[in-house]
Amino acid sequence: MAEAEQKSFDQGSNDLIEKAIKDEANTAFDRADTMKPCPIGSVGSCCKNCGMGPCRVPLPRGKEETPEEKLKRRGICGATAETIAARNFIRMIAGGASAHSDHGRGVAELFIAAAKGEAPGYEIRDEQKLLQLALDWGVEIGDRSNSEIAVEIGEKALEEFGRQEGEIITMRKAPLKRQEVWRTQGVAPRGIDREVVEIMHRTHIGVDQDYQNLLKQGVRTAIADGWGGSMIATELQDILFGTPAPILGKANLGVLKEDEVNIIIHGHEPLLSEMIVAVSREPEMVELAKSKGAKGINLAGMCCTANEILMRHGVGIAGNFLQQELAIVTGAVDAMVVDVQCIFQSIATVAECYHTKIITTSPKAKIPGAVHIEFDEHNALKSAREIVKAAVENFPNRKGNVEIPDNETDQIAGFSHETINYLLGGLFRSSYRPLNDNIINGRIRGVAGVVGCNNARYKHNEAHIAMVKELIKNDVLVITTGCNAIACAEAGLLLPEAAAEFAGEGLASVCEAVGIPPVLHMGSCVDNSRILIAATAMVKDGGLGDDISDLPVAGAAPEWMSEKAISIGQYFVASGVFTVFGVTWPTLGSKEVTDFLFKEMEDMYGGMWGFEEDPIKAAHMMIDHIDKKRKALGIDKARERVLYDMEMRRELT
Ligand code: BF8
């Protein structure tokens, strides 16, 4: 492949794209060449919410539109381009928020079953976090057992999803000033189920026709995701499976092993994958693998499930979103086990060219051509054993066309909010004080949350890596989740040594003193709630204003593609964070809607959206914003460090 034609930043992936062509396995990289995006739908100018359409209302090309022409540019029902773009945008939020929150609901259900002793194999692993959550949610501790407390917490969590009135209790985690902003703007959310249904109602034909009012409901729903459904998922997962702490792991397709049974766990919910990790280490399973001619069982993760099992068990990551088909193309994957979200339907057809078994496990997500072994939370170990056995028995069926790239990297992950707190402040005085101090003294310019997907419209991982390198070079500490975290791992940025090589002098000096990488892996996409909690902790520690919108921070998703990314971006913005997306922007068909999101939201929420395809320019938009916030805080000028002698001290008194 000539360099100009390379579809991935990663050479091993490019080699596999070529192998796929030779093996006649059709991948997303091929389909992105032949399937061009619709220029009308991609900018939000197509409405298909009723049977009279789809109605298309594209901006006229190459000429200024007259007011009369604009008046006529409407759908059959009279909906304007603004209404249509806003409707499409908030339906994306509804989709993304639902995905995160339904994940959270599944965790809550398992949490209750585990607390009642009805889900063998699961137990409360983080007692301290359980008790903390009990205090936060007003659940009595007294002399009750952990199980009793956990049942009440689980039931309270489930109630939150359907809360009909008032505000979700989890939003109380936000700084007080932020909560007041939401109340003043009328976006303090009720339960996610109610908010999502209201989006679907308002965007039905003939209901809400005011784009600002539509966008307001989008904001309210996104807050119910980030500060609600996603946050509940993260909190309960930590209690059940353990709060992540720094852990060494490997990344990229090179984690696959030619002489072992390779099982890839792909998707998002760690409920079953936790059990698969346990079962794959059972001596009987390892013996079974040996009896089939393999040296052992090698587990690897893909997408956000990868982040979950890496953070808690150090299981290697085979890749991110655009590498899922390529893993199969290695010819070495004996089973790919999937649950929900970000799973290509085409993995089943790519698998037909090799020997890989695709195993679906969720009743919510089946794929024709895949084997379905349903996850039963009351009998999870049985499901996990059946799955691992199926993979092991498939090992002898390999077709001999195995090619595993030599591109494995090391990484350190597991930077939960609790870990950062401890690493910076120590066990007895855990705090964000050293981070705030280093921001105030200018060694660290600010903090950026860089997250999100890969997008087949863009060279795989290139924007992620370019943006993150530019930020750390300019002394911005990066915190990351999702597929960005995996891209950073593959580029070697999640190692303490990366600070000396890629970070600016100030950031590097802090990373070296504390022993952390310049890019901190905080988990999967639902764990973006950890970023909200970290930002709140920075506010609470003092010296950087009294709301998240005062902090010198910014957010980005340079290769986004999913509706979840839009929901995440919207709750970052609603929390007061300037957030830049790359690749494409879904409301460009309406100048009014785009201006509202990019400019007017700042007056309302202190945060706003931005769009820039070039990752370096986007990084500088973030840096400029960080500098603007530093100036407003009065910390924009480096303060001279003066060593006082006795005489100067006497003068002071
Ligand atoms: O939830 S970053 S491609 S894997 S949507 Fe999907 Fe995007 Fe990856 Fe995780 Ni998040």
Side-chain angles (χ1 to χ4, degrees), residues 268 303-304 321 342 452-454 482-483 525 561-562 564:
H268 283 77
C303 288
C304 281
F321 181 65
C342 304
C453 327
N454 297 135
C483 287
C525 273
M561 63 86 207
S562 85
K564 287 185 288 173

Side-chain angles (χ1 to χ4, degrees), residues 100 266-268 302-305 307 320-322 341-342 451-454 481-484 486 524-526 528 559-565 568:
H100 280 148
H266 173 21
H268 283 77
M302 180 70 63
C303 288
C304 281
T305 293
N307 291 323
N320 52 7
F321 181 65
L322 276 181
Q341 300 169 23
C342 304
V451 306
C453 327
N454 297 135
T481 62
C483 287
N484 178 274
I486 300 173
S524 65
C525 273
V526 289
N528 281 313
E559 298 181 32
W560 80 278
M561 63 86 207
S562 85
E563 292 170 327
K564 287 185 288 173
I568 293 165

Side-chain angles (χ1 to χ4, degrees), residues 49-122:
N49 293 8
C50 85
M52 295 190 288
C55 295
R56 285 137 295 152
V57 290
L59 279 166
R61 280 177 170 221
K63 68 175 184 84
E64 202 51 35
E65 188 179 36
T66 65
E68 294 74 36
E69 283 168 335
K70 187 166 191 313
L71 213 60
K72 285 190 198 144
R73 191 158 56 87
R74 290 168 182 260
I76 291 174
C77 71
T80 62
E82 287 63 60
T83 300
I84 291 173
R87 273 182 186 161
N88 288 330
F89 188 70
I90 70 170
R91 278 204 171 190
M92 291 181 90
I93 292 176
S98 300
H100 280 148
S101 300
D102 216 32
H103 169 167
R105 188 199 320 271
V107 179
E109 284 168 347
L110 174 67
F111 191 87
I112 295 171
K116 288 182 174 169
E118 293 166 1
Y122 297 100

